[in-house]
Amino acid sequence: MNKSIPPHFPKLADQLNTPITIGGKTISNRLWLAPMAGLTHSAFRQVLAHYGSCGLAFTEMCSAKAVPTENPKISPVFRWHKWELPSLVCQLAGSTPDELVIAAERVEREGFFGVDINMGCSARGMIKREAGAALLKTPEKAVAVVKAVRKAVSIPVFVKFRTGWSKEIGPAVDLAKELEAAGADCLVFHPRVSPDKRTRPPIIDHIRFIKEAVSIPVFGNGNVTTQHHCHDMLATTGCDGVSVGRMAIARPWLFAQWTAGYMPDDTIFQDYVLRLATALEQEFDPIRGLKRFRMFIPYFAANFQFGHSLLATFSTAKTMDDVRRLAKEHIRPDMDLNQSPNMNLYNL
């Protein structure tokens, strides 16, 4: 394992460890976990907390229609541990002010740090329901949603959004200004067009246009896989912080590594899989837990030069006991790592 520290690490750590205030609440650092459906669930966040140093975590996407009546004890999505709430934001996906307001009010009552409105997901079902990135097609509707939620709750309101449905950045800049005026406390911007399924790299420089357009904090998101990428995003765009998605699933200790100089030992990858298997077993029924593991394993396997073989090996697991056995048999300290993940696996 390459344990060298980049020359700019102390400067990067200083930047990331500068506290930031969002909606009157202070967050200890500027390196956050991005919301990802099927991945940033309560089991993963439990393991993430073990490694530490994540400034703010986001739940996986929750349906605004379902949240008002969801039972956290049995819901696979709208669930958490009480100790998480002071630094946990609930992401909601919905299409109308009414449904998002009722859901946001429930989120506030439960004690979450804040609420995040999804304007980035472009999955077919989401677009059909006129939620997620579909809101970017009608900016006035997107603004109305934020305005209504802001009026209804006192906790910080976040908006995660993409460039839009064309590659031009102008409409996104205009929308950012309107979202700020509507009461958003923080914008998390992913500089890809909405239909893009990660087939092209994000246009990182577009984050700069969003940052320059508003006075509220703007966090950048998109293909941050190394400390160098993180440093460059901050340096070239002027954004206030960085939201990490897929790489956080691949290596959840990166938060401690990038902010505090944590140096993982050679057993870290096996340790991670074993901890996640136990957490999945605790949080989900066997079928759902295994399904969540199968969503996770491509990102984990992308760490390794022979990741496809590792992915095939773990695909044979039928139980969490199988997962633990395979981890002990096949994840070794001497495995060759990729400096950045294998995108052929990363984009599955």
Side-chain angles (χ1 to χ4, degrees):
M1 184 179 296
N2 183 0
K3 295 187 177 182
S4 62
I5 298 177
H8 57 246
F9 171 76
K11 183 178 179 181
L12 173 62
D14 286 346
Q15 284 181 281
L16 294 176
N17 285 318
T18 303
I20 186 168
T21 300
I22 308 286
K25 292 186 176 184
T26 300
I27 303 159
S28 61
N29 77 45
R30 300 173 181 231
L31 190 62
W32 299 352
L33 172 69
M36 289 170 287
L39 292 166
T40 59
H41 43 67
S42 55
F44 171 76
R45 298 194 310 268
Q46 184 175 325
V47 177
L48 176 68
H50 166 77
Y51 296 114
S53 298
C54 176
L56 202 62
F58 287 67
T59 68
E60 59 178 313
M61 183 173 58
C62 299
S63 165
K65 283 186 176 180
V67 160
T69 57
E70 284 272 51
N71 180 350
K73 293 181 180 179
I74 60 175
S75 172
V77 177
F78 190 61
R79 65 187 298 146
W80 60 88
H81 296 274
K82 285 188 176 180
W83 53 260
E84 294 186 88
L85 291 173
S87 59
L88 183 62
V89 176
C90 183
Q91 188 185 70
L92 298 175
S95 61
T96 69
D98 288 346
E99 66 184 21
L100 279 157
V101 161
I102 297 171
E105 289 173 338
R106 169 83 188 273
V107 168
E108 181 171 38
R109 287 196 304 272
E110 295 290 356
F112 283 82
F113 178 96
V115 60
D116 179 43
I117 301 172
N118 182 316
M119 296 188 189
C121 180
S122 57
R124 184 178 301 175
M126 187 66 55
I127 302 306
K128 187 176 180 180
R129 294 194 295 272
E130 299 183 352
L135 289 169
L136 302 178
K137 293 182 178 182
T138 52
E140 64 279 3
K141 191 173 179 180
V143 171
V145 160
V146 172
K147 188 176 293 185
V149 170
R150 171 71 289 156
K151 185 177 179 181
V153 300
S154 60
I155 56 176
V157 175
F158 299 76
V159 179
K160 171 84 181 285
F161 72 118
R162 288 194 180 209
T163 303
W165 291 83
S166 71
K167 64 181 181 180
E168 303 302 323
I169 190 61
V173 169
D174 292 339
L175 178 60
K177 294 176 181 177
E178 293 185 70
L179 294 174
E180 178 182 28
D185 295 298
C186 180
L187 303 177
V188 180
F189 183 61
H190 186 120
R192 277 190 171 100
V193 293
S194 296
D196 185 0
K197 305 298 184 184
R198 305 190 186 98
T199 55
R200 305 178 188 86
I203 305 176
I204 298 301
D205 191 54
H206 280 180
I207 299 170
R208 177 173 58 86
F209 291 96
I210 303 300
K211 173 58 186 171
E212 292 174 351
V214 298
S215 59
I216 57 175
V218 172
F219 273 59
N221 172 246
N223 281 25
V224 175
T225 62
T226 68
Q227 288 160 287
H228 296 279
H229 291 154
C230 187
H231 176 269
D232 289 347
M233 180 177 282
L234 289 165
T236 61
T237 71
C239 64
D240 296 281
V242 175
S243 173
V244 183
R246 292 173 293 167
M247 194 63 189
I249 304 300
R251 302 183 188 183
W253 52 88
L254 69 81
F255 298 91
Q257 201 169 19
W258 298 2
T259 65
Y262 169 69
M263 302 300 291
D265 62 30
D266 291 334
T267 65
I268 191 72
F269 289 99
Q270 186 186 99
D271 173 80
Y272 176 25
V273 173
L274 294 175
R275 287 183 183 279
L276 183 62
T278 298
L280 287 167
E281 207 167 43
Q282 292 171 348
E283 295 292 312
F284 301 111
D285 65 72
I287 293 174
R288 187 169 273 122
L290 195 61
K291 181 179 180 181
R292 293 293 191 273
F293 182 81
R294 287 173 176 160
M295 294 179 72
F296 148 82
I297 197 63
Y299 300 97
F300 178 81
N303 282 302
F304 303 98
Q305 291 187 17
F306 299 100
H308 283 89
S309 175
L310 194 66
L311 178 62
T313 295
F314 276 99
S315 70
T316 65
K318 299 294 190 293
T319 66
M320 284 302 161
D321 283 340
D322 288 344
V323 168
R324 281 186 277 262
R325 174 180 56 79
L326 292 169
K328 292 173 183 177
E329 291 176 357
H330 295 278
I331 303 175
R332 303 178 305 276
D334 61 349
M335 295 172 70
D336 293 326
L337 293 173
N338 295 316
Q339 184 174 3
S340 285
N342 179 343
M343 288 294 171
N344 291 326
L345 286 170
Y346 213 46
N347 290 333
L348 286 176

